[in-house]
Amino acid sequence: MPAAIQTHALSKRYGATTAVASLDLTVEPGSVFGLIGPNGSGKTTTLRMLLDIIRPTAGTASVLGASPRSGGPALRRRIGYIPGDLRLGGRIRGRTLLHHLADLSSPVPPGSIDSLAERLGLDLSRPVGTLSKGNRQKLGLVQAFMHNPDLLILDEPTSGLDPLVQREFLEMVHEARAAGRTVLLSSHVLSEIQQAADMVAVLSQGRVVAQGDVASLRLNNLRHVRAAVAGTEPDTLQGQLERSAHFTGTVTAREGNAVHLRGTLAGGVDPFIKVLARYQVLDLAVEEPDLEESVLSLYGRPWEAPQTEEPEPGT
């Protein structure tokens, strides 16, 4: 089965400024693929190229087996999209707007609009212009999901939503995947990516700096450690750990002859364990960082990507 989304060397430049540089992505059908990155990393530009809202400077993209440029309305009807800068207003009521959008999309199953609105706690009788940011975002989610599209492209979809609605959104994503649909999810909410995504790409300065499943991104070299040993002095142990195990933290003497340490390993666990094995180990805990720390550690490596910028704010 061909990929739901495939890009090869996809690039976007604005004059001398590079927003996306030679991007290679493969999103398998029926999966949830997460895009993570700070403002200016190229996430929104990438999504807009996949939707033919903007045209790439170089490279190719395939979406549901078609070129975004040549796929036309037939392709767009198979996609549900919510932009990161969703702008809705006016005196039109939510229900009227959704029915108008339904006429432009694939057929919407009877009752789908009301069912989604009820799940999200959205009052469809109110004029769109009177809705809060969170309720406008709910309206955007309803229009993206209501026609059961083959592909959902969601740019910061939970912006402005309270935690209970965010949980309902994640359930909607899980249901879409279970039904065989594909979801491309761009988000700053890293817990959202952890809970929803099968695969993740980390974008920094227009390039992919890491890609894999969520577990593999968490299993990087960063570790939190806590231990207590006997048979050494704090200064001695601190020096050994800093030289041999890339340890950063504190080592103190407490409770008689016990020496306690707490800190972070920037390298593998093996050198750390070998240092501790010289002494009597009284206690030991090694913890993985969460995805947020893993991502931030990647952003802190400027040699991983050239200095580029994305001129579009809020991306």
Side-chain angles (χ1 to χ4, degrees), residues 108 126 139 148 156 186 207 214 219 222 233 245 278:
V108 175
R126 294 181 56 190
L139 195 63
N148 295 330
E156 300 294 342
S186 166
R207 293 180 181 266
V214 173
L219 292 173
L222 187 67
E233 296 298 322
R278 302 171 190 174

Side-chain angles (χ1 to χ4, degrees), residues 34-112:
L35 282 182
I36 303 173
N39 288 340
S41 64
K43 301 191 309 299
T44 291
T45 295
T46 298
L47 300 187
R48 289 174 176 171
M49 286 191 286
L50 294 176
L51 292 159
D52 198 40
I53 296 172
I54 58 175
R55 298 277 168 84
T57 305
T60 61
S62 173
V63 177
L64 298 176
S67 162
R69 183 170 185 174
S70 61
L75 175 60
R76 287 190 284 275
R77 289 189 188 101
R78 300 175 62 195
I79 300 172
Y81 172 55
I82 182 168
D85 56 348
L86 180 65
R87 293 174 184 151
L88 297 172
R91 288 185 277 183
I92 187 172
R93 298 188 184 275
R95 185 182 304 281
T96 305
L97 174 62
L98 290 172
H99 281 292
H100 172 68
L101 294 174
D103 291 336
L104 302 176
S105 68
S106 298
V108 175
S112 176

Side-chain angles (χ1 to χ4, degrees), residues 135-187:
N135 281 317
R136 290 195 301 272
Q137 196 72 10
K138 293 175 187 178
L139 195 63
L141 288 173
V142 173
Q143 67 79 29
F145 279 81
M146 65 185 182
H147 58 295
N148 295 330
D150 296 324
L151 172 64
L152 286 151
I153 295 181
L154 310 175
D155 193 1
E156 300 294 342
T158 60
S159 175
L161 300 182
D162 65 55
L164 289 177
V165 179
Q166 289 179 24
R167 185 182 305 173
E168 191 62 40
F169 162 76
L170 289 174
E171 184 61 30
M172 290 162 56
V173 169
H174 293 152
E175 291 170 4
R177 177 175 55 189
R181 296 192 284 276
T182 306
V183 182
L184 179 58
L185 171 62
S186 166
S187 179

Side-chain angles (χ1 to χ4, degrees), residues 27 31-32 49 57 93 99 122 124 133 144 173 182 187 192 197 199 255 264-265 284:
V27 180
S31 68
V32 179
M49 286 191 286
T57 305
R93 298 188 184 275
H99 281 292
L122 174 63
L124 295 175
K133 173 178 172 53
V173 169
T182 306
S187 179
E192 194 169 87
M199 297 290 292
E255 302 173 7
T264 301
L265 299 179
L284 175 62

